[in-house]
Amino acid sequence: MDDQIERRVRESFAKQTMMQTLGAEIIDVQSGLVKVAAPVLPGAMQQQGFGHAGLTFSIGDSAAGYAALSMLPPEVDVVTSEIKINLLAPARGDRLIATGRVVKPGRRLCVVTAEVHAETDGAAKLIAILQGTIVSVPGA
């Protein structure tokens, strides 16, 4: 993959203040695949003591969106048009890892998916699956 594409993805991600608030970081960038990890911080818990679904959704959406961006020309940016989530298990763990993938790329619309795993001591458990549509928009 082109270093410029990885740099573009990482620079755009760095501008997302929501991801900064969650302590999220990109841990892998490939063409059509991006991984985002976030710790399960005390400020991101739900009432039963595990990670909030909002954390799971947020990093899954970002991973999927940046997977799409990695396959698009430099003059465009992306926004999520629609995305759904299936929560499969509680977000119990030290950190969550979202792996976003492009299912079908297109010039205007990209169909994407993301899997989110909860990780504790190196063991990972699938906790959510997302699927959606990313729209290309004029870049800034």
Side-chain angles (χ1 to χ4, degrees):
M1 184 179 74
D2 188 331
D3 286 342
Q4 285 184 319
I5 294 170
E6 181 171 357
R7 186 175 32 238
R8 176 180 174 216
V9 167
R10 289 184 182 278
E11 286 175 359
S12 177
F13 184 86
K15 295 176 185 174
Q16 289 195 346
T17 57
M18 175 70 159
M19 292 297 108
Q20 294 170 19
T21 298
L22 297 173
E25 64 179 337
I26 289 181
I27 59 172
D28 191 16
V29 178
Q30 299 174 34
S31 181
L33 182 144
V34 170
K35 290 185 180 183
V36 174
V40 181
L41 299 171
M45 307 291 267
Q46 56 88 274
Q47 74 278 8
Q48 295 167 336
F50 46 84
H52 196 282
L55 171 62
T56 303
F57 184 86
S58 293
I59 67 167
D61 175 49
S62 284
Y66 282 111
L69 185 68
S70 75
M71 297 186 75
L72 292 170
E75 66 274 7
V76 300
D77 206 343
V78 294
V79 294
T80 301
S81 170
E82 60 84 27
I83 199 160
K84 74 171 295 275
I85 188 169
N86 291 98
L87 298 165
L88 308 173
R92 290 190 179 104
D94 300 321
R95 74 176 184 161
L96 304 183
I97 301 171
T99 304
R101 289 184 176 86
V102 173
V103 175
K104 182 171 186 321
R107 287 191 343 248
R108 183 77 177 133
L109 303 175
C110 292
V111 176
V112 294
T113 187
E115 291 185 354
V116 183
H117 289 81
E119 184 181 74
T120 303
D121 299 325
K125 179 178 182 174
L126 180 64
I127 63 162
I129 298 173
L130 295 84
Q131 182 173 312
T133 306
I134 304 298
V135 178
S136 62
V137 295

